[in-house]
Amino acid sequence: MSLIEVRNLVKKFPIRGGVLNRVVNNVHAVRGVTFDIASGETVGVVGESGCGKSTLGKCLIRLIEPTEGLVAYEGEEITGLSHSELMPYRRKMQIVFQDPYSSLNPRLTVQATLAEAIKLHGVVKQSGSAMDDYIDELMRQVGLRPDDKVKFPHEFSGGQRQRIGIARALSVRPDFIVADEPVSALDVSIQAQVLNLMKKLREELGLTMMFISHDLKVVEHFCDRVLVMYLGYVVEEVRTDDLDNTAQHPYTRALLGANPIDDPDDRRPLVILQGDVPSPINPPPGCPFAGRCPLVMDRCREKMPPLEVKNGAPVACWAVEDGKAPEPLTRAGSRSPASA
Amino acid sequence: MIRRFLRSRGMRKFRRNRLALFASGIIFVYFTIFLGIVTTEILDVTGVTEAQLRHGTRIRVLPRLHPGFLQSSSTEKRYLDINWHKDRLGRVFDRDLSSVELPRQALGELDLAERKVIEAPLGEVIEQYEAFLAAYETLDELFYERDDLLDYMLSVELDLKDARKAGDEAQSEELSAEFDEIQAEAAEILPLFDEALEEAEARLADLMPPPTGWDGVVYGFRTFLGSDVSGRSIACKGFYSIKTAFQIGFVVATIAVLIGTLLGAAGAFYGRWVDNGVMWLVSTLSSVPYLVLLAVLAYMFTGHEYFDNPTQYPELQLVKLYTAMGLAFWISTCRVIRGEVMKIKELEYVQAATAIGFGRPYILLRHVIPNTAHIMFINFSLLFIGAIKSEVILSFLGLGVSGQPSWGTMISNSKDDLSNFFFWEVGTASILLFILVLAFNIVSDALQDAFDPKHV
């Protein structure tokens, strides 16, 4: 059964202007997204900056109110719930942020940050030594020294801060975590450490995750399934087992083609995208990728293709035909991506 | 937390700035005086009561407009002082003291703070007074003689100059002979006069000896800056005004920072109609000049049972000042805090708190407002000194403090005496204010340099 169900989710940010401060236009951040996340699964969301992936993640845990559509948790709709009705779901769904420097209140010690969440949800019933033990355990879990809990955030490095952010998300024992680009602000070496930590925690605690990133390689390494977003649409939903061979959408293929490969023998056709992402304020009709797509047809500029299952995986593209699988990107004999 | 602050890099940089340290020392001295006066008034620790302390700024300690240290009185001023004492003593001694029920109490009216009429049997005191009176009469006669002579000498001297200029040999010779004659006479009278003056002063000192010991120190403090137009101590008034100034500074800055922070933060954080309301209030109040507001409030409170009753509730006199300045000063804080909160509320730790499930008011109070503390701190110090300056200006204009001394009223009361080169009162008030403002500016400048993240 799916833990999270998202149906036709739309988020528009109004742009106000004029004398009367009326809504003159909208930023179309998320434009009708539908998908499910199964319990225990990790779903990646990739896309360029501004494609709506963070907005999608925040809509899921109600940090942003979606304009239309619904989000359900274990079959219960959570869009439209009031603050108090939402409280049990707040405990089950948490978020890890991108920027480790602004995601921690500089005036609170680590202990205070963790304790206030624990107290609010009554995770530990009585304060005192039980609370201290719980916090110590949490610190150990994310690979920090329990003695450091009395320190302030500025006394930690970026990677350590991100661990504190993870500890805060875990402090209320959630089932589902939205990781909003958790490693993109970190060094590559630290990225690997934090990713491995998250992987370990995911297995230990049986977490379901939504992993937002712009790095397809990280997503491939970390997730079971990936949603590729382009200007508010999910254009492809694909399993990460054999991404190079199963990706169908030209945008996904272009993203994969842009990844550097550690194999001199692997010469894949290089697709370099021209132009830019259209503005989300007045998006063009039809497929938003049409302006940059190598396979563009007249039909693409008129109507957005629906997300249909073609060759066994959902993809939104007119050029992809069912029953005619696209050429694999990887040449036979080359290595598959190394696991970390 | 405080230890961390004191060890921080900015604080180390601040400590290297000698001038700033010196200035903070000065502010500390002012603050100590303020605390001293306040604890005396409220807690009554030193044995000096509030009434006594205030009394010290009201009683006569010297003849009127007496100069302070380093400047000795002219002969004329000394004579006038003796004359002043004589009039004052006369008012008591001319009564038949033997028929007065409590003669000591009657004599007590003559006390100039610690300088009291001698403790002796009444007969002796009256004898001393009569000796002083005799000395005074000799002095008085000599004074008029001396005065006439000096006038005559001046006119002859001028005539002589004119004659010399005109080239009138005969007349100038005649005049110069006359001038020599007068000079000889003056040489006779002037030492006599000086002698008589000293004699009268000595007799006065016999009757009212200058205090010695601890009393002498206190009296020395009272008199070292001279006296104002009513003979009150300028030093007492000047230093007591520190309390008035700090009191207004603290109250106004606290009110303004609190209102400004709460409204600014609430407006920025909640947005929509809250923000519209706050911004409406800000623009409305900033369009009212606070001098006008203060004048209206002062008029409203005139004759009020509590707010205009300097004898019974001197502190409540200041309520109109607090209200007017508080209403005017929170606006700047509000704008700055609003801008900062608009930035903070989009930060990820605020979103994280929402995701955990905290309510909006809790997030505002626990996560947003504490992170504007540095702005509150800076604004407090700016408003503190701003309120003190405004208080002085308002008191100078007659709209401000009444019922207790203030630098503004001191300057305004003595501005007319400046043309007679009596600068002690204006000087004391201005210098005390000047040092405080300068020290504050130096310290805030140094703090800004030390804690500016761009330069650290």
Side-chain angles (χ1 to χ4, degrees), chain B residues 111-408:
Chain B
D111 293 349
L112 294 170
E114 281 74 25
R115 194 173 177 187
K116 294 183 162 75
V117 178
I118 44 163
E119 296 275 347
L122 192 59
E124 264 178 52
V125 176
I126 292 177
E127 249 171 55
Q128 293 283 6
Y129 170 65
E130 269 155 13
F132 166 71
L133 214 56
Y136 170 74
E137 265 152 26
T138 332
L139 175 72
D140 204 31
E141 258 169 50
L142 281 168
F143 178 75
Y144 284 110
E145 247 174 77
R146 173 184 171 274
D147 216 28
D148 289 345
L149 198 67
L150 288 180
D151 274 357
Y152 188 35
M153 195 154 106
L154 193 66
S155 68
V156 169
E157 199 179 349
L158 289 175
D159 286 350
L160 184 64
K161 263 187 197 161
D162 285 349
R164 282 201 181 134
K165 219 181 261 174
D168 193 338
E169 290 282 323
Q171 208 192 351
S172 51
E173 236 166 73
E174 192 184 317
L175 281 170
S176 91
E178 198 178 346
F179 187 69
D180 290 346
E181 210 173 293
I182 298 168
Q183 264 192 327
E185 205 178 327
E188 213 172 288
I189 284 187
L190 287 182
L192 272 181
F193 175 76
D194 286 346
E195 227 169 79
L197 190 60
E198 267 157 36
E199 171 70 12
E201 276 171 350
R203 291 288 78 75
L204 183 67
D206 284 346
L207 183 62
M208 297 180 75
T212 49
W214 175 243
D215 279 353
V217 175
V218 175
Y219 190 69
F221 170 75
R222 284 192 205 274
T223 52
F224 89 106
L225 287 172
S227 67
D228 73 352
V229 74
S230 321
R232 294 173 297 194
S233 160
I234 291 178
C236 286
K237 279 167 70 181
F239 284 97
Y240 193 92
S241 300
I242 291 176
K243 178 243 168 188
T244 312
F246 270 53
Q247 183 181 1
I248 288 172
F250 272 118
V251 174
V252 170
T254 311
I255 293 176
V257 168
L258 276 184
I259 299 181
T261 305
L262 285 179
L263 287 185
F269 191 67
Y270 289 108
R272 298 164 195 264
W273 63 267
V274 184
D275 198 25
N276 290 341
V278 169
M279 286 325 278
W280 176 84
L281 206 61
V282 163
S283 36
T284 308
L285 277 178
S286 56
S287 67
V288 179
Y290 78 104
L291 275 180
V292 175
L293 185 66
L294 185 64
V296 170
L297 284 171
Y299 180 72
M300 263 171 63
F301 288 152
T302 306
H304 193 279
E305 192 186 345
Y306 299 110
F307 298 120
D308 192 18
N309 194 342
T311 45
Q312 267 181 290
Y313 307 107
E315 299 300 337
L316 294 185
Q317 284 269 306
L318 300 178
V319 168
K320 59 175 191 279
L321 274 177
Y322 298 153
T323 320
M325 285 200 225
L327 281 179
F329 286 2
W330 65 272
I331 287 162
S332 58
T333 314
C334 178
R335 283 184 204 277
V336 184
I337 294 276
R338 181 172 171 265
E340 183 71 10
V341 170
M342 283 194 156
K343 190 190 95 188
I344 292 174
K345 75 167 179 175
E346 299 300 334
L347 289 181
E348 287 173 348
Y349 61 80
V350 174
Q351 291 183 23
T354 314
I356 285 167
F358 291 113
R360 303 281 282 166
Y362 179 88
I363 295 175
L364 179 64
L365 291 176
R366 172 104 170 157
H367 292 279
V368 177
I369 289 183
N371 281 298
T372 62
H374 59 295
I375 294 182
M376 287 162 70
F377 185 69
I378 291 168
N379 265 270
F380 185 89
S381 66
L382 286 178
L383 291 182
F384 179 78
I385 202 72
I388 289 177
K389 282 191 277 185
S390 303
E391 178 264 311
V392 171
I393 293 167
L394 290 173
S395 303
F396 179 78
L397 295 175
L399 281 170
V401 178
S402 51
Q404 52 179 305
S406 145
W407 292 321

Side-chain angles (χ1 to χ4, degrees), chain A residues 90 102 105 107 116 121 154, chain B residues 4 349 356 362 367 370-371:
Chain A
R90 289 280 189 222
S102 69
N105 186 343
R107 299 229 163 233
E116 64 171 7
H121 287 283
H154 68 263
Chain B
R4 248 167 30 96
Y349 61 80
I356 285 167
Y362 179 88
H367 292 279
N371 281 298

